[in-house]
Amino acid sequence: MRWTRAAVLASALSIMIAGCGAGPSDRPGVAVERPTVGGGGPATSATAPPPKAELPKTDLSWRECTAPTLALLGLGPAPAGLVLDCAEFSTPIDASGSVLGSFRAGAMRARLAQTPTDVAPLVFTSGSDRSSTATLAGLAVGVSALLADRPVVAVDRRGLGTSQPIDCLPQDIRRGLADNAQFGPGAPDPVEAVTGFSQDGTIACRDFLQPYEGTFDAPHAADDIEQLRKQWQVDHIDLLGSGNGAKVALSYARKFGDHLARLVLDSPEAVGTDAITKEDHRLQGAEAALTAFAQRCIGLGCSLGSNPRAAVTDLVNRASNGELGDISANSLLTAITGFLGGPRADQPNRVAELADALSAAGRGDRGALGNLILRESAATASDGQFVNRCSDTQQPPTPTKAKELSTTWGQKYPVFGKAAAIALLDCAAWPVASAPPLPEKLHLPVLVLGGIADPVVGNGGLASVTGALGTSGARHATMNWQGWGHPVVTHSGCAQRALLEYLKDAKLPADGTACPA
């Protein structure tokens, strides 16, 4: 049976009926009690040391792609010695065999001239936050102790980055979702308009993807990483998941934990929780990151003046009122959030780039801001991201709840809150997914990294993740970075050193260790 408008509307109706109860809880869906965790040393003699990852026996067919990748992402010329290699591999659409066929997954390897050739690569996924290959490229252009020690291989989720693309949204729906329906005909209520775009977009994409429309969630992304392991013909891999990619990494640990040598969760999003709570976490991080940016801006005497935060707030309000031409408030915020969370080690030194683009737009010159919006939208708002994010979304709000949140969040989070409440409805019509199962038994020390001003996921989800690790029996330690941006390992040399120690000997730092900004 094809996915019809009636089926989508019925699904949305069921969400609305379910939402008539007490509403989503702010509590995590898993225990957050943290048992005593190991830190500061390798596994004791009472516990068998974890295995080490192995070198690939049958590698992918890599091709050098440094210059075109960095040019496409606007990352500038390659630092001396950096080499990016690209490749594809075939992965089953559904590993259980319920849907036949294969999907082309994209991968990228980053290394330096001095990177050893006799060490196993670290596998990386950033999930659906932005493509894993783009995130890795951002890390690679910085000074990276990690790449000097070992190569890193990023695997893109289906339909993202270098993986087989998805082109399922009609242009008007794609633009309507990107702009929170700000420029709709007759200036309709944005909540109702975005709900309609969600219904039409869901129908279009699920029709386009039939019969494998249900294979774009985190567990299927974990299957793709397992296919890479099989292609390499190795028994164990090291895996780093950041943001939404941490959910993919946890799904891998649940399904293929025996094949993990090391597991790192960097800035993980909350697990087992509803869309409202998860977005609330992100908004806290976004507002904190903007405050940190404003403070740096003041210190540099940037073009936004003596109160950069107020200048940004005013520009967002002007965009909301249609005073920035075809730049909507939501697209403006996409650019700001993308910059604040940009995976570039030199990001704090680029404060003037964002400040100058925003101040110029305020004076009527929207060229630089328009280019920034195009760059960030391409990295975070593809059709593949719509499909993957909606596939992972649990308990989206009803339109009534979204209207309520647009008021309360607009007051609580004055820059990002109102637009975020409306954008929560992007996935309102997508069939509601159940939370992917978490690892039941994990006999492996796990390193968890978190930042205090993370505009991509915030840090409110750390407790649910460490709670899940504790429930699984895994030793774990959390390291907190005091800076702004996402993910931590991209920005913090302190976190990179801890990561390298862990990868070498499974040595965890003391739980709660802080890394300076």
Side-chain angles (χ1 to χ4, degrees):
M1 182 182 73
R2 292 184 66 78
W3 192 260
T4 64
R5 176 178 294 274
V8 171
L9 293 176
S11 173
L13 181 60
S14 68
I15 297 171
M16 295 175 67
I17 293 172
C20 291
S25 170
D26 287 336
R27 296 174 295 174
V30 298
V32 297
E33 291 79 17
R34 291 166 58 173
T36 302
V37 296
T44 66
S45 59
T47 304
K52 288 183 176 288
E54 301 96 12
L55 279 169
K57 296 177 183 177
T58 305
D59 210 343
L60 303 180
S61 298
W62 297 105
R63 63 185 184 280
E64 197 270 334
C65 60
T66 311
T69 298
L70 298 183
L72 179 66
L73 298 171
L75 293 174
L82 173 64
V83 178
L84 302 179
D85 300 306
C86 295
E88 295 85 32
F89 62 96
S90 181
T91 183
I93 290 176
D94 187 77
S96 69
S98 61
V99 180
L100 299 180
S102 61
F103 206 91
R104 175 169 53 81
M108 187 173 74
R109 179 178 64 187
R111 54 194 171 94
L112 302 174
Q114 67 268 34
T115 303
T117 58
D118 59 349
V119 295
L122 172 64
V123 181
F124 172 69
T125 172
S126 57
S128 61
D129 296 327
R130 67 169 61 211
S131 78
S132 301
T133 53
T135 306
L136 176 58
L139 181 151
V141 297
V143 178
S144 176
L146 176 58
L147 289 182
D149 185 84
R150 65 173 57 210
V152 180
V153 173
V155 180
D156 278 328
R157 279 188 72 158
R158 300 178 179 189
L160 271 65
T162 60
S163 288
Q164 184 174 331
I166 298 173
D167 184 7
C168 61
L169 289 173
Q171 179 57 32
D172 61 326
I173 296 175
R174 187 182 297 119
R175 178 65 190 269
L177 292 173
D179 290 334
N180 267 358
Q182 180 174 329
F183 301 124
D189 177 85
V191 168
E192 295 178 4
V194 172
T195 301
F197 284 133
S198 176
Q199 292 167 354
D200 293 340
T202 296
I203 292 169
C205 286
R206 291 182 69 88
D207 273 351
F208 177 84
L209 295 169
Q210 277 190 354
Y212 50 90
E213 68 275 10
T215 63
F216 291 85
D217 55 9
H220 282 87
D223 290 342
D224 294 344
I225 294 175
E226 173 64 1
Q227 185 62 29
L228 175 63
R229 183 196 67 80
K230 291 179 178 179
Q231 173 106 8
W232 279 347
Q233 297 186 43
V234 298
D235 290 327
H236 302 94
I237 62 172
D238 296 334
L239 181 58
L240 164 62
S242 70
N244 173 263
K247 181 178 287 187
V248 176
L250 285 169
S251 289
Y252 188 91
R254 158 84 182 197
K255 302 178 76 172
F256 312 109
D258 290 344
H259 293 299
L260 277 176
R262 305 287 187 270
L263 177 61
V264 184
L265 306 176
D266 185 341
S267 313
E269 68 177 33
V271 296
T273 193
D274 58 88
I276 293 175
T277 302
K278 193 168 70 172
E279 184 65 7
D280 194 276
H281 294 161
R282 188 193 71 81
L283 287 169
Q284 293 175 37
E287 294 283 346
L290 181 59
T291 296
F293 164 82
Q295 291 170 346
R296 176 66 66 92
C297 214
I298 292 172
L300 295 174
C302 74
S303 58
L304 287 173
S306 60
N307 192 340
R309 187 182 176 89
V312 172
T313 303
D314 177 68
L315 195 64
V316 173
N317 290 335
R318 289 176 60 189
S320 298
N321 294 328
E323 297 176 25
L324 297 186
D326 60 353
I327 295 178
S328 67
N330 199 53
S331 63
L332 169 61
L333 292 171
T334 295
I336 294 173
T337 302
F339 176 90
L340 295 177
R344 288 185 61 160
D346 65 342
Q347 180 185 7
N349 300 323
R350 296 167 53 237
V351 167
E353 178 185 349
L354 177 61
D356 291 349
L358 295 176
S359 58
R363 298 190 303 269
D365 180 1
R366 302 189 295 271
L369 179 58
N371 290 334
L372 188 59
I373 289 171
L374 286 175
R375 189 174 76 196
E376 295 303 333
S377 296
T380 61
S382 69
D383 292 6
Q385 275 150 334
F386 171 76
V387 172
N388 280 276
R389 287 171 180 163
C390 292
S391 296
D392 283 347
T393 296
Q394 285 95 49
Q395 300 176 35
T398 64
T400 299
K401 183 64 177 179
K403 288 182 180 180
E404 175 188 322
L405 287 171
S406 68
T407 299
T408 57
W409 279 358
Q411 298 170 349
K412 185 178 180 181
Y413 306 116
V415 175
F416 299 95
K418 182 177 180 179
I422 298 170
L424 274 175
L425 292 171
D426 287 358
C427 296
W430 199 273
V432 179
S434 57
L438 295 167
E440 294 180 346
K441 295 292 182 182
L442 189 57
H443 305 292
L444 181 74
V446 181
L447 176 62
V448 183
L449 306 174
I452 64 169
D454 185 326
V456 176
V457 296
N459 66 358
L462 281 175
S464 67
V465 171
T466 55
L469 293 173
T471 299
S472 74
R475 292 192 312 124
H476 57 278
T478 300
M479 175 172 278
N480 299 298
W481 175 52
Q482 305 300 306
W484 52 277
H486 175 93
V488 171
V489 73
T490 298
H491 301 282
S492 170
C494 165
Q496 286 191 20
R497 290 189 292 272
L499 172 61
L500 290 174
E501 284 289 319
Y502 169 70
L503 292 176
K504 180 181 178 182
D505 296 320
K507 180 181 179 180
L508 292 172
D511 189 40
T513 299
C515 278

